[in-house]
mmCIF file of all heavy atoms in Angstrom:
data_model
loop_
_atom_site.group_PDB
_atom_site.id
_atom_site.type_symbol
_atom_site.label_atom_id
_atom_site.label_comp_id
_atom_site.label_asym_id
_atom_site.label_seq_id
_atom_site.Cartn_x
_atom_site.Cartn_y
_atom_site.Cartn_z
ATOM 1 N N ARG V 46 128.057 34.695 61.738
ATOM 2 C CA ARG V 46 128.984 34.619 62.864
ATOM 3 C C ARG V 46 130.400 35.045 62.461
ATOM 4 O O ARG V 46 131.174 35.473 63.310
ATOM 5 C CB ARG V 46 128.983 33.209 63.457
ATOM 6 C CG ARG V 46 127.637 32.864 64.119
ATOM 7 C CD ARG V 46 127.489 31.375 64.352
ATOM 8 N NE ARG V 46 128.558 30.847 65.167
ATOM 9 C CZ ARG V 46 128.578 30.898 66.506
ATOM 10 N NH1 ARG V 46 127.553 31.420 67.151
ATOM 11 N NH2 ARG V 46 129.578 30.413 67.166
ATOM 12 N N ASN V 49 130.923 39.110 62.777
ATOM 13 C CA ASN V 49 131.447 39.746 64.000
ATOM 14 C C ASN V 49 132.487 38.872 64.693
ATOM 15 O O ASN V 49 132.714 38.996 65.885
ATOM 16 C CB ASN V 49 130.326 40.162 64.957
ATOM 17 C CG ASN V 49 129.638 38.978 65.581
ATOM 18 O OD1 ASN V 49 129.845 37.837 65.164
ATOM 19 N ND2 ASN V 49 128.810 39.236 66.572
ATOM 20 N N LEU V 51 132.664 35.838 65.654
ATOM 21 C CA LEU V 51 132.413 34.760 66.603
ATOM 22 C C LEU V 51 133.033 33.480 66.057
ATOM 23 O O LEU V 51 133.315 32.548 66.795
ATOM 24 C CB LEU V 51 130.912 34.575 66.852
ATOM 25 C CG LEU V 51 130.259 35.638 67.735
ATOM 26 C CD1 LEU V 51 128.791 35.325 67.956
ATOM 27 C CD2 LEU V 51 130.960 35.791 69.058
ATOM 28 N N ILE V 73 138.788 44.151 67.985
ATOM 29 C CA ILE V 73 137.521 43.469 67.724
ATOM 30 C C ILE V 73 136.472 43.819 68.777
ATOM 31 O O ILE V 73 135.281 43.918 68.478
ATOM 32 C CB ILE V 73 137.721 41.930 67.609
ATOM 33 C CG1 ILE V 73 136.433 41.234 67.155
ATOM 34 C CG2 ILE V 73 138.219 41.339 68.909
ATOM 35 C CD1 ILE V 73 135.969 41.602 65.778
ATOM 36 N N ASN V 74 136.913 44.068 70.017
ATOM 37 C CA ASN V 74 135.941 44.419 71.060
ATOM 38 C C ASN V 74 135.265 45.752 70.760
ATOM 39 O O ASN V 74 134.085 45.944 71.026
ATOM 40 C CB ASN V 74 136.631 44.470 72.424
ATOM 41 C CG ASN V 74 137.193 43.114 72.812
ATOM 42 O OD1 ASN V 74 136.569 42.080 72.578
ATOM 43 N ND2 ASN V 74 138.383 43.117 73.380
ATOM 44 N N ARG V 77 132.877 45.203 67.722
ATOM 45 C CA ARG V 77 131.647 44.480 68.084
ATOM 46 C C ARG V 77 130.627 45.394 68.762
ATOM 47 O O ARG V 77 129.438 45.114 68.754
ATOM 48 C CB ARG V 77 131.985 43.316 69.022
ATOM 49 C CG ARG V 77 132.586 42.111 68.291
ATOM 50 C CD ARG V 77 132.545 40.905 69.206
ATOM 51 N NE ARG V 77 133.146 39.725 68.619
ATOM 52 C CZ ARG V 77 134.189 39.080 69.142
ATOM 53 N NH1 ARG V 77 134.730 39.510 70.257
ATOM 54 N NH2 ARG V 77 134.663 37.998 68.565
ATOM 55 N N GLN V 78 131.109 46.489 69.378
ATOM 56 C CA GLN V 78 130.161 47.418 69.993
ATOM 57 C C GLN V 78 129.231 48.032 68.943
ATOM 58 O O GLN V 78 128.127 48.456 69.261
ATOM 59 C CB GLN V 78 130.908 48.532 70.726
ATOM 60 C CG GLN V 78 131.681 48.034 71.940
ATOM 61 C CD GLN V 78 132.471 49.146 72.603
ATOM 62 O OE1 GLN V 78 132.049 50.291 72.623
ATOM 63 N NE2 GLN V 78 133.620 48.795 73.149
ATOM 64 N N VAL V 80 128.279 46.354 66.256
ATOM 65 C CA VAL V 80 127.583 45.270 65.557
ATOM 66 C C VAL V 80 126.763 44.468 66.560
ATOM 67 O O VAL V 80 127.272 43.578 67.232
ATOM 68 C CB VAL V 80 128.596 44.327 64.856
ATOM 69 C CG1 VAL V 80 127.855 43.311 64.002
ATOM 70 C CG2 VAL V 80 129.578 45.122 64.007
ATOM 71 N N MET V 82 124.120 41.739 67.987
ATOM 72 C CA MET V 82 123.795 40.391 67.516
ATOM 73 C C MET V 82 122.667 39.810 68.358
ATOM 74 O O MET V 82 122.653 39.931 69.582
ATOM 75 C CB MET V 82 125.027 39.490 67.609
ATOM 76 C CG MET V 82 124.761 38.059 67.199
ATOM 77 S SD MET V 82 125.934 37.524 65.936
ATOM 78 C CE MET V 82 125.382 35.868 65.598
ATOM 79 N N PHE V 84 120.605 36.136 68.947
ATOM 80 C CA PHE V 84 120.826 34.711 68.737
ATOM 81 C C PHE V 84 119.511 33.931 68.729
ATOM 82 O O PHE V 84 118.529 34.329 69.345
ATOM 83 C CB PHE V 84 121.702 34.145 69.855
ATOM 84 C CG PHE V 84 123.058 34.796 69.961
ATOM 85 C CD1 PHE V 84 123.239 35.967 70.681
ATOM 86 C CD2 PHE V 84 124.157 34.224 69.341
ATOM 87 C CE1 PHE V 84 124.490 36.557 70.782
ATOM 88 C CE2 PHE V 84 125.412 34.811 69.441
ATOM 89 C CZ PHE V 84 125.574 35.977 70.156
ATOM 90 N N ASN V 88 120.199 33.655 74.610
ATOM 91 C CA ASN V 88 121.429 33.849 75.394
ATOM 92 C C ASN V 88 121.346 35.025 76.352
ATOM 93 O O ASN V 88 122.312 35.762 76.530
ATOM 94 C CB ASN V 88 122.648 34.010 74.474
ATOM 95 C CG ASN V 88 122.928 32.753 73.670
ATOM 96 O OD1 ASN V 88 122.446 31.684 74.012
ATOM 97 N ND2 ASN V 88 123.672 32.887 72.600
ATOM 98 N N LEU V 89 120.187 35.195 76.982
ATOM 99 C CA LEU V 89 120.123 36.181 78.070
ATOM 100 C C LEU V 89 120.959 35.649 79.225
ATOM 101 O O LEU V 89 121.178 34.443 79.340
ATOM 102 C CB LEU V 89 118.671 36.377 78.513
ATOM 103 C CG LEU V 89 117.762 37.059 77.492
ATOM 104 C CD1 LEU V 89 116.354 37.193 78.052
ATOM 105 C CD2 LEU V 89 118.292 38.424 77.095
ATOM 106 N N PHE V 90 121.431 36.560 80.088
ATOM 107 C CA PHE V 90 122.216 36.141 81.247
ATOM 108 C C PHE V 90 121.244 35.765 82.369
ATOM 109 O O PHE V 90 120.590 36.638 82.932
ATOM 110 C CB PHE V 90 123.166 37.260 81.678
ATOM 111 C CG PHE V 90 124.030 37.779 80.553
ATOM 112 C CD1 PHE V 90 124.213 39.135 80.363
ATOM 113 C CD2 PHE V 90 124.643 36.885 79.670
ATOM 114 C CE1 PHE V 90 125.000 39.609 79.320
ATOM 115 C CE2 PHE V 90 125.435 37.349 78.626
ATOM 116 C CZ PHE V 90 125.607 38.712 78.450
ATOM 117 N N PRO V 91 121.149 34.470 82.706
ATOM 118 C CA PRO V 91 120.075 34.011 83.595
ATOM 119 C C PRO V 91 120.239 34.466 85.041
ATOM 120 O O PRO V 91 119.270 34.439 85.798
ATOM 121 C CB PRO V 91 120.171 32.480 83.508
ATOM 122 C CG PRO V 91 121.561 32.199 83.089
ATOM 123 C CD PRO V 91 121.990 33.359 82.231
ATOM 124 N N HIS V 92 121.465 34.897 85.408
ATOM 125 C CA HIS V 92 121.682 35.281 86.804
ATOM 126 C C HIS V 92 121.421 36.758 87.053
ATOM 127 O O HIS V 92 121.654 37.254 88.144
ATOM 128 C CB HIS V 92 123.120 34.934 87.216
ATOM 129 C CG HIS V 92 124.172 35.616 86.383
ATOM 130 N ND1 HIS V 92 124.276 35.427 85.022
ATOM 131 C CD2 HIS V 92 125.155 36.482 86.719
ATOM 132 C CE1 HIS V 92 125.287 36.151 84.566
ATOM 133 N NE2 HIS V 92 125.830 36.801 85.570
ATOM 134 N N MET V 93 120.917 37.450 86.027
ATOM 135 C CA MET V 93 120.659 38.884 86.177
ATOM 136 C C MET V 93 119.214 39.198 85.811
ATOM 137 O O MET V 93 118.627 38.514 84.984
ATOM 138 C CB MET V 93 121.542 39.682 85.210
ATOM 139 C CG MET V 93 122.999 39.560 85.469
ATOM 140 S SD MET V 93 123.874 40.511 84.205
ATOM 141 C CE MET V 93 125.526 40.234 84.773
ATOM 142 N N LEU V 101 124.381 45.814 81.614
ATOM 143 C CA LEU V 101 125.736 45.284 81.825
ATOM 144 C C LEU V 101 126.767 45.863 80.851
ATOM 145 O O LEU V 101 127.757 46.457 81.274
ATOM 146 C CB LEU V 101 125.728 43.753 81.749
ATOM 147 C CG LEU V 101 127.086 43.098 82.029
ATOM 148 C CD1 LEU V 101 127.509 43.342 83.473
ATOM 149 C CD2 LEU V 101 127.054 41.609 81.734
ATOM 150 N N ALA V 102 126.519 45.680 79.563
ATOM 151 C CA ALA V 102 127.531 46.101 78.583
ATOM 152 C C ALA V 102 127.713 47.628 78.549
ATOM 153 O O ALA V 102 128.847 48.108 78.569
ATOM 154 C CB ALA V 102 127.208 45.546 77.206
ATOM 155 N N LYS V 105 129.696 48.485 81.817
ATOM 156 C CA LYS V 105 131.031 47.894 81.982
ATOM 157 C C LYS V 105 131.934 48.143 80.781
ATOM 158 O O LYS V 105 133.136 48.268 80.930
ATOM 159 C CB LYS V 105 130.933 46.381 82.209
ATOM 160 C CG LYS V 105 130.112 45.986 83.421
ATOM 161 C CD LYS V 105 130.687 46.557 84.706
ATOM 162 C CE LYS V 105 129.856 46.095 85.897
ATOM 163 N NZ LYS V 105 130.232 46.807 87.136
ATOM 164 N N VAL V 106 131.368 48.160 79.589
ATOM 165 C CA VAL V 106 132.196 48.314 78.394
ATOM 166 C C VAL V 106 132.322 49.791 78.018
ATOM 167 O O VAL V 106 133.411 50.307 77.801
ATOM 168 C CB VAL V 106 131.616 47.508 77.210
ATOM 169 C CG1 VAL V 106 132.457 47.720 75.962
ATOM 170 C CG2 VAL V 106 131.570 46.024 77.572
ATOM 171 N N LYS V 108 131.325 52.240 80.005
ATOM 172 C CA LYS V 108 131.526 53.002 81.252
ATOM 173 C C LYS V 108 130.522 54.144 81.406
ATOM 174 O O LYS V 108 130.857 55.207 81.929
ATOM 175 C CB LYS V 108 132.953 53.572 81.331
ATOM 176 C CG LYS V 108 134.043 52.586 80.942
ATOM 177 C CD LYS V 108 134.320 51.601 82.044
ATOM 178 C CE LYS V 108 135.474 50.688 81.669
ATOM 179 N NZ LYS V 108 135.526 49.476 82.469
ATOM 180 N N TYR V 134 113.433 38.026 86.206
ATOM 181 C CA TYR V 134 114.578 37.227 85.742
ATOM 182 C C TYR V 134 114.187 36.519 84.447
ATOM 183 O O TYR V 134 113.008 36.181 84.251
ATOM 184 C CB TYR V 134 115.001 36.222 86.811
ATOM 185 C CG TYR V 134 115.846 36.847 87.877
ATOM 186 C CD1 TYR V 134 115.259 37.459 88.991
ATOM 187 C CD2 TYR V 134 117.226 36.885 87.764
ATOM 188 C CE1 TYR V 134 116.040 38.067 89.964
ATOM 189 C CE2 TYR V 134 118.013 37.486 88.728
ATOM 190 C CZ TYR V 134 117.419 38.075 89.826
ATOM 191 O OH TYR V 134 118.196 38.686 90.776
ATOM 192 N N ARG V 150 118.697 44.468 74.625
ATOM 193 C CA ARG V 150 120.055 44.406 75.181
ATOM 194 C C ARG V 150 121.100 44.773 74.120
ATOM 195 O O ARG V 150 122.042 45.518 74.397
ATOM 196 C CB ARG V 150 120.324 42.998 75.716
ATOM 197 C CG ARG V 150 121.710 42.827 76.301
ATOM 198 C CD ARG V 150 121.930 41.455 76.882
ATOM 199 N NE ARG V 150 121.975 40.423 75.856
ATOM 200 C CZ ARG V 150 122.234 39.133 76.103
ATOM 201 N NH1 ARG V 150 122.413 38.734 77.338
ATOM 202 N NH2 ARG V 150 122.259 38.257 75.124
ATOM 203 N N ALA V 151 120.908 44.247 72.919
ATOM 204 C CA ALA V 151 121.855 44.565 71.841
ATOM 205 C C ALA V 151 121.767 46.048 71.479
ATOM 206 O O ALA V 151 122.775 46.704 71.257
ATOM 207 C CB ALA V 151 121.573 43.689 70.621
ATOM 208 N N MET V 154 123.705 49.071 73.308
ATOM 209 C CA MET V 154 125.073 49.487 72.961
ATOM 210 C C MET V 154 125.058 50.483 71.799
ATOM 211 O O MET V 154 126.106 50.883 71.303
ATOM 212 C CB MET V 154 125.925 48.271 72.600
ATOM 213 C CG MET V 154 126.296 47.405 73.790
ATOM 214 S SD MET V 154 127.224 48.291 75.054
ATOM 215 C CE MET V 154 128.863 48.271 74.333
ATOM 216 N N ARG H 48 145.082 28.881 76.361
ATOM 217 C CA ARG H 48 145.050 28.222 75.057
ATOM 218 C C ARG H 48 146.422 27.733 74.645
ATOM 219 O O ARG H 48 146.544 26.742 73.950
ATOM 220 C CB ARG H 48 144.515 29.188 74.005
ATOM 221 C CG ARG H 48 143.019 29.389 74.146
ATOM 222 C CD ARG H 48 142.518 30.268 73.035
ATOM 223 N NE ARG H 48 141.071 30.289 73.020
ATOM 224 C CZ ARG H 48 140.373 30.913 72.109
ATOM 225 N NH1 ARG H 48 140.998 31.551 71.130
ATOM 226 N NH2 ARG H 48 139.070 30.919 72.142
ATOM 227 N N ASP H 117 126.900 27.353 79.165
ATOM 228 C CA ASP H 117 126.667 27.309 77.717
ATOM 229 C C ASP H 117 127.550 28.302 76.963
ATOM 230 O O ASP H 117 127.716 29.450 77.382
ATOM 231 C CB ASP H 117 125.189 27.619 77.457
ATOM 232 C CG ASP H 117 124.859 27.520 75.979
ATOM 233 O OD1 ASP H 117 125.158 26.478 75.383
ATOM 234 O OD2 ASP H 117 124.312 28.508 75.432
ATOM 235 N N GLU H 118 128.111 27.833 75.868
ATOM 236 C CA GLU H 118 128.980 28.648 75.015
ATOM 237 C C GLU H 118 128.272 29.945 74.580
ATOM 238 O O GLU H 118 128.898 30.990 74.415
ATOM 239 C CB GLU H 118 129.374 27.816 73.788
ATOM 240 C CG GLU H 118 130.403 28.443 72.888
ATOM 241 C CD GLU H 118 131.764 28.585 73.530
ATOM 242 O OE1 GLU H 118 132.080 27.816 74.459
ATOM 243 O OE2 GLU H 118 132.510 29.473 73.114
ATOM 244 N N GLY H 119 126.965 29.857 74.411
ATOM 245 C CA GLY H 119 126.183 31.021 73.982
ATOM 246 C C GLY H 119 126.287 32.198 74.938
ATOM 247 O O GLY H 119 126.155 33.351 74.531
ATOM 248 N N GLN H 120 126.536 31.922 76.217
ATOM 249 C CA GLN H 120 126.691 33.001 77.193
ATOM 250 C C GLN H 120 127.935 33.837 76.886
ATOM 251 O O GLN H 120 127.887 35.058 76.909
ATOM 252 C CB GLN H 120 126.790 32.405 78.607
ATOM 253 C CG GLN H 120 125.503 31.766 79.071
ATOM 254 C CD GLN H 120 124.449 32.805 79.390
ATOM 255 O OE1 GLN H 120 124.689 33.730 80.162
ATOM 256 N NE2 GLN H 120 123.283 32.681 78.800
ATOM 257 N N THR H 121 129.032 33.143 76.597
ATOM 258 C CA THR H 121 130.252 33.849 76.228
ATOM 259 C C THR H 121 130.042 34.616 74.933
ATOM 260 O O THR H 121 130.436 35.779 74.805
ATOM 261 C CB THR H 121 131.420 32.858 76.041
ATOM 262 O OG1 THR H 121 131.523 32.060 77.220
ATOM 263 C CG2 THR H 121 132.729 33.580 75.808
ATOM 264 N N GLU H 122 129.392 33.958 73.967
ATOM 265 C CA GLU H 122 129.187 34.610 72.671
ATOM 266 C C GLU H 122 128.343 35.868 72.814
ATOM 267 O O GLU H 122 128.625 36.897 72.203
ATOM 268 C CB GLU H 122 128.531 33.629 71.693
ATOM 269 C CG GLU H 122 129.477 32.509 71.289
ATOM 270 C CD GLU H 122 128.858 31.560 70.292
ATOM 271 O OE1 GLU H 122 127.639 31.690 70.014
ATOM 272 O OE2 GLU H 122 129.583 30.693 69.788
ATOM 273 N N ALA H 123 127.294 35.785 73.646
ATOM 274 C CA ALA H 123 126.448 36.962 73.838
ATOM 275 C C ALA H 123 127.264 38.091 74.464
ATOM 276 O O ALA H 123 127.181 39.242 74.036
ATOM 277 C CB ALA H 123 125.250 36.600 74.718
ATOM 278 N N ALA H 124 128.066 37.741 75.464
ATOM 279 C CA ALA H 124 128.874 38.757 76.141
ATOM 280 C C ALA H 124 129.880 39.378 75.171
ATOM 281 O O ALA H 124 130.011 40.602 75.098
ATOM 282 C CB ALA H 124 129.605 38.137 77.335
ATOM 283 N N ARG H 125 130.556 38.531 74.402
ATOM 284 C CA ARG H 125 131.556 39.032 73.456
ATOM 285 C C ARG H 125 130.906 39.874 72.367
ATOM 286 O O ARG H 125 131.453 40.873 71.926
ATOM 287 C CB ARG H 125 132.337 37.879 72.822
ATOM 288 C CG ARG H 125 133.154 37.017 73.782
ATOM 289 C CD ARG H 125 134.182 37.783 74.595
ATOM 290 N NE ARG H 125 135.136 38.529 73.802
ATOM 291 C CZ ARG H 125 136.255 38.035 73.273
ATOM 292 N NH1 ARG H 125 136.577 36.786 73.485
ATOM 293 N NH2 ARG H 125 137.057 38.790 72.551
ATOM 294 N N SER H 126 129.710 39.451 71.927
ATOM 295 C CA SER H 126 129.054 40.196 70.849
ATOM 296 C C SER H 126 128.629 41.592 71.316
ATOM 297 O O SER H 126 128.373 42.470 70.511
ATOM 298 C CB SER H 126 127.836 39.430 70.316
ATOM 299 O OG SER H 126 126.731 39.564 71.192
ATOM 300 N N LEU H 127 128.543 41.777 72.640
ATOM 301 C CA LEU H 127 128.204 43.099 73.169
ATOM 302 C C LEU H 127 129.445 43.969 73.344
ATOM 303 O O LEU H 127 129.361 45.090 73.839
ATOM 304 C CB LEU H 127 127.488 42.952 74.518
ATOM 305 C CG LEU H 127 126.060 42.405 74.439
ATOM 306 C CD1 LEU H 127 125.592 41.943 75.806
ATOM 307 C CD2 LEU H 127 125.106 43.456 73.888
ATOM 308 N N GLY H 128 130.610 43.427 72.984
ATOM 309 C CA GLY H 128 131.831 44.220 73.051
ATOM 310 C C GLY H 128 132.685 43.933 74.267
ATOM 311 O O GLY H 128 133.711 44.575 74.469
ATOM 312 N N MET H 129 132.250 42.980 75.113
ATOM 313 C CA MET H 129 133.079 42.657 76.277
ATOM 314 C C MET H 129 134.316 41.892 75.828
ATOM 315 O O MET H 129 134.234 41.080 74.907
ATOM 316 C CB MET H 129 132.299 41.795 77.267
ATOM 317 C CG MET H 129 131.247 42.559 78.035
ATOM 318 S SD MET H 129 130.447 41.490 79.240
ATOM 319 C CE MET H 129 128.742 41.851 78.859
ATOM 320 N N ASP H 130 135.435 42.132 76.519
ATOM 321 C CA ASP H 130 136.618 41.335 76.216
ATOM 322 C C ASP H 130 136.522 40.018 77.002
ATOM 323 O O ASP H 130 135.576 39.792 77.749
ATOM 324 C CB ASP H 130 137.911 42.111 76.510
ATOM 325 C CG ASP H 130 138.031 42.526 77.975
ATOM 326 O OD1 ASP H 130 137.536 41.788 78.840
ATOM 327 O OD2 ASP H 130 138.629 43.587 78.250
ATOM 328 N N ARG H 131 137.531 39.166 76.788
ATOM 329 C CA ARG H 131 137.531 37.844 77.401
ATOM 330 C C ARG H 131 137.374 37.911 78.923
ATOM 331 O O ARG H 131 136.619 37.156 79.525
ATOM 332 C CB ARG H 131 138.868 37.186 77.071
ATOM 333 C CG ARG H 131 138.817 35.771 76.702
ATOM 334 C CD ARG H 131 140.211 35.350 76.229
ATOM 335 N NE ARG H 131 140.311 35.329 74.787
ATOM 336 C CZ ARG H 131 139.684 34.431 74.037
ATOM 337 N NH1 ARG H 131 138.936 33.502 74.593
ATOM 338 N NH2 ARG H 131 139.790 34.457 72.734
ATOM 339 N N GLN H 133 136.224 40.424 80.832
ATOM 340 C CA GLN H 133 134.914 40.934 81.262
ATOM 341 C C GLN H 133 133.838 39.862 81.145
ATOM 342 O O GLN H 133 132.989 39.718 82.035
ATOM 343 C CB GLN H 133 134.527 42.154 80.415
ATOM 344 C CG GLN H 133 135.346 43.392 80.736
ATOM 345 C CD GLN H 133 135.107 44.515 79.733
ATOM 346 O OE1 GLN H 133 134.892 44.272 78.545
ATOM 347 N NE2 GLN H 133 135.164 45.747 80.208
ATOM 348 N N ARG H 136 134.307 37.504 83.993
ATOM 349 C CA ARG H 136 134.031 38.074 85.304
ATOM 350 C C ARG H 136 132.541 38.357 85.544
ATOM 351 O O ARG H 136 132.016 38.066 86.616
ATOM 352 C CB ARG H 136 134.827 39.376 85.434
ATOM 353 C CG ARG H 136 134.567 40.107 86.718
ATOM 354 C CD ARG H 136 135.561 41.239 86.906
ATOM 355 N NE ARG H 136 135.063 42.157 87.916
ATOM 356 C CZ ARG H 136 135.463 43.414 88.031
ATOM 357 N NH1 ARG H 136 136.357 43.891 87.198
ATOM 358 N NH2 ARG H 136 134.973 44.192 88.965
ATOM 359 N N TYR H 137 131.881 38.912 84.547
ATOM 360 C CA TYR H 137 130.505 39.347 84.773
ATOM 361 C C TYR H 137 129.462 38.308 84.372
ATOM 362 O O TYR H 137 128.346 38.320 84.865
ATOM 363 C CB TYR H 137 130.221 40.650 84.014
ATOM 364 C CG TYR H 137 131.103 41.790 84.445
ATOM 365 C CD1 TYR H 137 131.977 42.389 83.552
ATOM 366 C CD2 TYR H 137 131.067 42.250 85.752
ATOM 367 C CE1 TYR H 137 132.802 43.426 83.949
ATOM 368 C CE2 TYR H 137 131.885 43.287 86.169
ATOM 369 C CZ TYR H 137 132.750 43.862 85.258
ATOM 370 O OH TYR H 137 133.564 44.883 85.668
ATOM 371 N N VAL H 138 129.820 37.431 83.439
ATOM 372 C CA VAL H 138 128.811 36.520 82.895
ATOM 373 C C VAL H 138 129.067 35.060 83.279
ATOM 374 O O VAL H 138 128.172 34.389 83.789
ATOM 375 C CB VAL H 138 128.732 36.661 81.350
ATOM 376 C CG1 VAL H 138 127.751 35.658 80.768
ATOM 377 C CG2 VAL H 138 128.319 38.087 80.991
ATOM 378 N N ILE H 139 130.287 34.592 83.074
ATOM 379 C CA ILE H 139 130.548 33.157 83.263
ATOM 380 C C ILE H 139 130.768 32.799 84.732
ATOM 381 O O ILE H 139 130.104 31.909 85.277
ATOM 382 C CB ILE H 139 131.767 32.701 82.421
ATOM 383 C CG1 ILE H 139 131.558 33.072 80.946
ATOM 384 C CG2 ILE H 139 131.981 31.205 82.570
ATOM 385 C CD1 ILE H 139 130.301 32.521 80.342
ATOM 386 N N PRO H 141 130.006 34.242 87.685
ATOM 387 C CA PRO H 141 128.880 34.264 88.629
ATOM 388 C C PRO H 141 127.965 33.044 88.467
ATOM 389 O O PRO H 141 127.422 32.540 89.441
ATOM 390 C CB PRO H 141 128.132 35.556 88.272
ATOM 391 C CG PRO H 141 129.136 36.400 87.588
ATOM 392 C CD PRO H 141 130.061 35.467 86.871
ATOM 393 N N GLN H 142 127.809 32.589 87.225
ATOM 394 C CA GLN H 142 126.974 31.404 87.008
ATOM 395 C C GLN H 142 127.710 30.141 87.425
ATOM 396 O O GLN H 142 127.110 29.202 87.969
ATOM 397 C CB GLN H 142 126.576 31.298 85.532
ATOM 398 C CG GLN H 142 125.718 32.452 85.056
ATOM 399 C CD GLN H 142 125.292 32.267 83.610
ATOM 400 O OE1 GLN H 142 124.646 31.297 83.262
ATOM 401 N NE2 GLN H 142 125.671 33.206 82.764
ATOM 402 N N ARG H 145 127.748 29.362 91.290
ATOM 403 C CA ARG H 145 126.548 28.681 91.773
ATOM 404 C C ARG H 145 126.587 27.196 91.490
ATOM 405 O O ARG H 145 126.172 26.373 92.289
ATOM 406 C CB ARG H 145 125.317 29.238 91.072
ATOM 407 C CG ARG H 145 124.812 30.455 91.764
ATOM 408 C CD ARG H 145 123.772 31.097 90.899
ATOM 409 N NE ARG H 145 123.938 32.512 91.015
ATOM 410 C CZ ARG H 145 122.954 33.370 90.956
ATOM 411 N NH1 ARG H 145 121.733 32.947 90.720
ATOM 412 N NH2 ARG H 145 123.171 34.638 91.104
ATOM 413 N N LYS H 219 117.727 33.671 94.288
ATOM 414 C CA LYS H 219 117.884 34.882 93.472
ATOM 415 C C LYS H 219 117.307 34.725 92.081
ATOM 416 O O LYS H 219 117.331 33.670 91.506
ATOM 417 C CB LYS H 219 119.358 35.260 93.386
ATOM 418 C CG LYS H 219 119.740 36.198 94.528
ATOM 419 C CD LYS H 219 121.189 36.598 94.415
ATOM 420 C CE LYS H 219 121.375 37.789 93.503
ATOM 421 N NZ LYS H 219 122.765 38.213 93.412
#
Side-chain angles (χ1 to χ4, degrees):
Chain V
R46 293 164 58 83
N49 69 349
L51 285 182
I73 187 64
N74 297 320
R77 283 195 182 120
Q78 293 177 34
V80 187
M82 177 127 182
F84 300 85
N88 296 342
L89 292 180
F90 307 135
H92 59 299
M93 296 178 178
L101 183 66
K105 301 300 182 190
V106 178
K108 315 283 184 198
Y134 280 87
R150 179 177 69 176
M154 288 301 280
Chain H
R48 286 184 170 184
D117 183 53
E118 187 66 25
Q120 292 288 307
T121 307
E122 291 182 353
R125 298 302 303 275
S126 78
L127 288 164
M129 286 183 229
D130 60 32
R131 222 172 260 290
Q133 288 170 325
R136 177 169 163 201
Y137 299 118
V138 176
I139 305 304
Q142 297 183 59
R145 275 170 218 213
K219 270 182 86 178

